[in-house]
Amino acid sequence: MSSRQAALSLYRRSLKLALDWTVHRNLWRGQALYIRSLFEANRNVTDPRKQRGLLKETEKILEMWKHPEPFVYPTAPGGSKYERNLPSPMLDPPRDLKF
């Protein structure tokens, strides 16, 4: 994975992590802008060693701020409503089709 792809992955993970801590979008938006400014500040770093160091430091920060109970949408797998109202299975045998 290139450093650009790794940075984009970390950026997305940090936004999702911020959303775990702040469920309301109007409050989360300010945090998203702050996270974006942190990533933009290091956008022009070209030295591979510095890039690796920044990526490792960001990984540590994300691990430190990991939410103990991340937000899961109720209808998503692991949510409280997942597969709650499934349609009933078709138990009737198929009808003979005549052409």
Side-chain angles (χ1 to χ4, degrees), residues 26-89:
N26 59 342
L27 300 174
W28 172 80
R29 180 69 178 144
Q31 292 177 350
L33 291 173
Y34 176 69
I35 292 169
R36 176 71 182 249
S37 69
L38 293 175
F39 275 83
E40 287 289 332
N42 295 313
R43 184 178 192 158
N44 296 322
V45 175
T46 57
D47 184 26
R49 288 182 186 175
K50 287 184 181 179
Q51 288 176 346
R52 282 192 298 270
L54 288 170
L55 292 175
K56 286 181 183 179
E57 182 181 343
T58 306
E59 285 279 352
K60 288 178 185 176
I61 292 171
L62 288 179
E63 190 61 35
M64 182 179 66
W65 281 95
K66 190 174 182 179
H67 198 283
E69 294 180 17
F71 179 76
V72 177
Y73 286 99
T75 54
S80 60
K81 289 185 175 181
Y82 182 64
E83 293 185 345
R84 182 178 285 181
N85 295 321
L86 291 177
S88 60

